[in-house]
Amino acid sequence: MDEFIIRALIAGIMVASVAGLLGVFIVWRRMAFFGDTLSHSALLGVALGMLFNVGFTIGVLASTLLVGLILYSFQKQKRVSNDALLGILAHSGLSMGLIALSFVQAQNTNIEEWLFGDVLSVSWSDVYFIAVIMLVIVIIMRWLWTPLLTLTVHDELAKVEGVNTNLVNLGFVLVVALLVATAMQIVGALLITALLIIPATTARNFAKTPEQMALIAAFIGVLSVIGGVYASFWYDVPAGPSIVMFSTALFFSSHAARRLL
Amino acid sequence: MMNSDKEIATLKHVSLRHGSRQILQDVSLTVEAGKVLTIIGPNGAGKSSLLKVLLGLQKANSGEVKLRDGLRIGYVPQSISIDNNLPLSVHRFVALGGSGSVSEVLSLLKIEHLSNTAIQLISGGEFQRVLLARALLRKPELLVLDEPAQGVDVMGQGELYEKISTLRNHYGFGVIMVSHDLHLVMAKTDQVICLNQHICCHGVPADVSRHPEYHRLFGDMPNSGLAVYTHHHDHTHDLHGNVVSDDHSDCHHG
């Protein structure tokens, strides 16, 4: 087996399993559009990271956290509805990112790589970096799990019971931002949300507890990555979209299977 | 006068506005340990907002909220809907509230048979008990209930208030609750506050039910013959700070 496939599989499996862990919360909290907003506007972060020469990860983290803060500060007003605001930020971030990237075109960037990812081109140092980031996310999530679940069920009840809801929400935005920054390389800015919500929604069919649902979602994400990476290698189709197609196939077949059982 | 070390929660001259709309105006009240305080009032009177200010979920525009240091609060909010995508059993839902023994509170409220049922599948009346169980798990010193008998049938309502009353006697916590069920509540409460943005009248149930403001607010309701339910404790409490004037225009707000 070629080494680049092994690298792609390792990187993809790590990102997809952590995406399953976070994706269940995105589904429970109905934040699919929020995931889109963070990942689309992350393209601006990529461009900024390159322009200021600090690396795209730092750029993406900065832009995602900025978007998170803007959303948070707008939450208290009622004149602009939340989903309109998400749409505005998603597409303005994407547009600004595309414009900014056109300035760095000279340094041979391929915009498509950022939009749809290129998992087959990850290097060993990318793999190590992704491993560290995923470990950080898992550690934060371990600490965040119960308060975040409490908050997801009912946020006023959680507040009265002593959950620091601002801190927990901020922590969650941070881990999603970290995931977006790394998943950019695997499935690209436009498809990250798919990695978050499709495995999680599929897992609902089989789970009896929140933890089961997260683990099953992670497992389904891993299966999708394996399928997608191999399809991409054998049939020479783009890897990111293939991964998403595999998880979609699993989603529909799980529904069919459930109906038969 | 009441004993000040029994006061566990106090509001002083609290006012709350949403934009130009006055929600609460100069509301003062005290919750005492081991006593039940019930807030009644028409829709839109600010009853739920009052609880939210007390709980710190909403900041008052003016006035003061004082809770005893480290006060453990059990809260039963008005309505909860839980996303169908979240696989959560009743047991787990209650366990999220704290570190106490879940099976103990479930059997206390006679809902241990629901323990493994998905939270989305239980009825409204069962849900109210589950919420109460979660509040009790925290061994509260103050129980805050927003329409606890919502979705509970009439038989169940009486039972639920009876339960709250026995638990209060057993654990000695203070209770502040909002309710619509006038005659049921009146029998089990120590103090009643009639709220319509400001406090129209307050006192022991027997006195409040004779108060003209009370009749102005609720007089048109059927079965307002509350004298039957005169509370057997009411000789032990003073009527304090009695009350707004008889001027009926007092309760009209823009």
Side-chain angles (χ1 to χ4, degrees):
Chain A
M1 192 154 59
D2 291 299
E3 212 178 82
F4 74 95
I5 296 225
I6 296 176
R7 287 198 298 262
L9 284 175
I10 296 174
I13 283 170
M14 286 192 296
V15 169
S17 44
V18 172
L21 218 57
L22 303 188
V24 287
F25 281 102
I26 299 281
V27 169
W28 295 333
R29 304 182 75 184
R30 301 174 181 241
M31 288 168 78
F33 207 9
F34 169 84
D36 262 346
T37 304
L38 283 194
S39 50
H40 289 188
S41 56
L43 205 65
L44 177 62
V46 170
L48 291 179
M50 287 181 167
L51 282 173
F52 293 111
N53 230 344
V54 289
F56 76 94
T57 318
I58 303 286
V60 170
L61 281 180
S63 73
T64 0
L65 287 178
L66 180 71
V67 169
L69 286 177
I70 293 174
L71 285 172
Y72 179 76
S73 60
F74 266 81
Q75 245 171 22
K76 300 208 159 64
Q77 57 85 45
K78 295 214 165 72
R79 223 169 318 163
V80 185
S81 77
N82 204 41
D83 71 323
L85 183 69
L86 285 169
I88 291 167
L89 290 174
H91 299 112
S92 59
L94 187 62
S95 306
M96 281 192 281
L98 289 169
I99 290 169
L101 272 177
S102 72
F103 289 119
V104 287
Q105 277 294 23
Q107 308 165 19
N108 87 64
T109 31
N110 183 359
I111 288 183
E112 234 172 76
E113 234 171 69
W114 296 110
L115 291 178
F116 304 108
D118 189 6
V119 68
L120 295 179
S121 71
V122 296
S123 65
W124 279 116
S125 64
D126 289 334
V127 172
Y128 299 141
F129 181 73
I130 290 172
V132 172
I133 298 285
M134 293 306 115
L135 192 65
V136 170
I137 295 179
V138 171
I139 290 169
I140 297 178
M141 278 307 282
R142 227 188 112 88
W143 167 77
L144 219 54
W145 189 268
T146 302
L148 187 57
L149 187 61
T150 311
L151 170 70
T152 300
V153 170
H154 195 267
D155 80 328
E156 287 186 338
L157 207 46
K159 265 184 215 169
V160 172
E161 289 165 358
V163 173
N164 185 339
T165 52
N166 284 338
L167 188 67
V168 172
N169 273 325
L170 185 70
F172 187 61
V173 171
L174 179 72
V175 291
V176 175
L178 282 168
L179 182 83
V180 166
T182 40
M184 292 282 285
Q185 272 186 299
I186 313 298
V187 288
L190 294 184
L191 296 175
I192 290 173
T193 312
L195 213 54
L196 289 167
I197 61 170
I198 300 174
T201 311
T202 311
R204 176 62 181 108
N205 283 331
F206 308 105
K208 290 243 180 323
T209 68
E211 290 73 21
Q212 268 178 19
M213 183 159 153
L215 291 176
I216 296 171
F219 179 67
I220 291 169
V222 168
L223 287 183
S224 313
V225 164
I226 295 173
V229 166
Y230 274 103
S232 165
F233 178 65
W234 289 112
Y235 303 106
D236 197 26
V237 288
S242 306
I243 293 171
V244 173
M245 281 314 297
F246 255 90
S247 66
T248 310
L250 288 172
F251 169 72
F252 282 112
S253 45
S254 80
H255 272 275
R258 218 184 140 73
R259 205 159 297 169
L260 291 176
L261 289 175
Chain B
M1 276 311 286
M2 75 185 97
N3 195 345
S4 73
D5 59 83
K6 291 190 74 182
E7 296 178 5
I8 51 177
T10 315
L11 297 187
K12 280 186 186 155
H13 308 293
V14 164
S15 292
L16 177 70
R17 272 183 306 278
H18 283 168
S20 59
R21 209 166 94 85
Q22 188 82 39
I23 310 288
L24 296 171
Q25 192 185 356
D26 195 27
V27 173
S28 301
L29 59 81
T30 300
V31 190
E32 289 178 67
K35 295 286 156 65
V36 179
L37 173 67
T38 303
I39 300 164
I40 55 177
N43 285 328
K47 302 183 297 288
S48 294
S49 301
L50 179 65
L51 294 189
K52 285 186 180 171
V53 169
L54 181 83
L55 291 166
L57 295 171
Q58 196 146 41
K59 231 178 128 44
N61 296 92
S62 62
E64 206 184 332
V65 180
K66 270 208 290 213
L67 302 179
R68 193 156 78 190
D69 277 346
L71 186 71
R72 277 195 309 279
I73 300 177
Y75 174 41
V76 174
Q78 202 175 63
S79 61
I80 280 196
S81 76
I82 292 172
D83 196 301
N84 261 323
N85 282 308
L86 179 56
L88 199 67
S89 67
V90 166
H91 187 279
R92 186 69 193 278
F93 174 84
V94 173
L96 285 175
S99 53
S101 161
V102 176
S103 38
E104 200 179 299
V105 288
L106 289 182
S107 60
L108 199 60
L109 290 166
K110 301 197 173 61
I111 46 173
E112 61 270 56
H113 60 286
L114 296 174
S115 186
N116 293 320
T117 312
I119 191 84
Q120 292 92 349
L121 296 180
I122 62 176
S123 73
E126 289 168 336
F127 208 120
Q128 290 308 116
R129 281 167 181 267
V130 170
L131 284 171
L132 190 56
R134 177 158 163 176
L136 291 174
L137 184 72
R138 308 174 50 71
K139 306 214 179 333
E141 297 155 298
L142 172 64
L143 201 56
V144 179
L145 310 162
D146 198 348
E147 306 255 4
Q150 230 177 29
V152 180
D153 58 53
V154 181
M155 286 302 290
Q157 284 176 7
E159 228 173 88
L160 190 67
Y161 288 120
E162 183 72 47
K163 192 85 209 173
I164 292 167
S165 185
T166 5
L167 289 169
R168 179 272 309 253
N169 292 336
H170 189 251
Y171 292 103
F173 47 63
V175 178
I176 179 167
M177 70 175 148
V178 158
S179 183
H180 271 133
D181 320 294
L182 294 178
H183 52 286
L184 280 170
V185 149
M186 288 299 218
K188 294 289 171 203
T189 192
D190 300 302
Q191 293 277 326
V192 178
I193 284 180
C194 238
L195 186 76
N196 194 10
Q197 288 158 12
H198 70 292
I199 292 177
C200 293
C201 52
H202 70 153
V204 296
D207 289 322
V208 167
S209 61
R210 282 194 294 269
H211 196 279
E213 280 294 344
Y214 176 84
H215 283 282
R216 211 191 57 72
L217 285 173
F218 299 107
D220 53 337
M221 296 211 24
N223 192 13
S224 52
L226 292 154
V228 192
Y229 292 98
T230 302
H231 197 278
H232 60 280
H233 281 165
D234 58 19
H235 58 279
T236 62
H237 311 294
D238 285 335
L239 230 186
H240 58 89
N242 198 19
V243 168
V244 291
S245 75
D246 278 0
D247 179 7
H248 291 193
S249 65
D250 236 29
C251 266
H252 292 295
H253 295 285

